Amino acid sequence: MASTPLRPTAAALARYPIPAGLIASLYRADEGEFAALVAPLSEYARARIAAYCVEKERLHLLALKVASNCAEAVLVKAAGVEIGAALFAQSRVEEVIQTALHPVPAQEPMTAPMQIIEFAAADWMSDADECSEAA
């Protein structure tokens, strides 16, 4: 029996082309649009999109977002054993998914209002005299 390759063959990939327009739409979509775009796709099609996106650094978060809707076996079938399993594991980390869905904007640090402290001139002058006598 022949061993299964870690990645699908070129002929298998050619049967399921991924439209660049779909990737662009998914990348720009908000939560509702994303769900509407992904809903009609089969699980294998979603896994293929995740496998495609994970190879592009700028699309890595999109890959995790799409992979979060796929079973591990389907991801392994679409992307190969190592990449599919890694995609499955990474897409299940809650913080990564939430960061991808809702990036938190940086906030400016809070500063306390400036307080003016008044010193009595007599106290300051007597401290200065003591220092000069000690020297």
Side-chain angles (χ1 to χ4, degrees):
M1 180 173 176
S3 66
T4 333
L6 292 178
R7 306 252 321 138
T9 63
L13 293 175
R15 285 183 289 191
Y16 302 100
I18 300 169
L22 176 61
I23 300 296
S25 297
L26 288 170
Y27 185 76
R28 287 188 227 115
D30 64 12
E31 192 59 35
E33 293 170 341
F34 181 84
L37 288 169
V38 171
L41 301 174
S42 69
E43 190 173 15
Y44 186 72
R46 291 191 304 264
R48 286 285 323 274
I49 291 169
Y52 172 81
C53 291
V54 80
E55 293 178 358
K56 314 283 189 262
E57 186 176 341
R58 69 183 181 281
L59 299 176
H60 189 78
L61 289 177
L62 178 61
L64 297 177
K65 189 175 175 182
V66 174
S68 69
N69 297 312
C70 300
E72 184 175 14
V74 178
L75 287 167
V76 167
K77 181 179 177 185
V81 176
E82 294 173 4
I83 295 173
L87 257 174
F88 180 79
Q90 289 177 6
S91 69
R92 297 319 193 256
V93 176
E94 191 65 29
E95 294 83 14
V96 173
I97 294 170
Q98 291 305 318
T99 303
L101 297 177
H102 308 288
V104 178
Q107 296 179 352
E108 293 185 24
M110 297 289 291
T111 57
M114 187 186 312
Q115 296 178 346
I116 298 174
I117 302 173
E118 295 183 23
F119 294 99
D123 291 340
W124 181 75
M125 292 301 282
S126 63
D127 289 342
D129 292 339
E130 289 176 11
C131 289
S132 62
E133 289 175 8

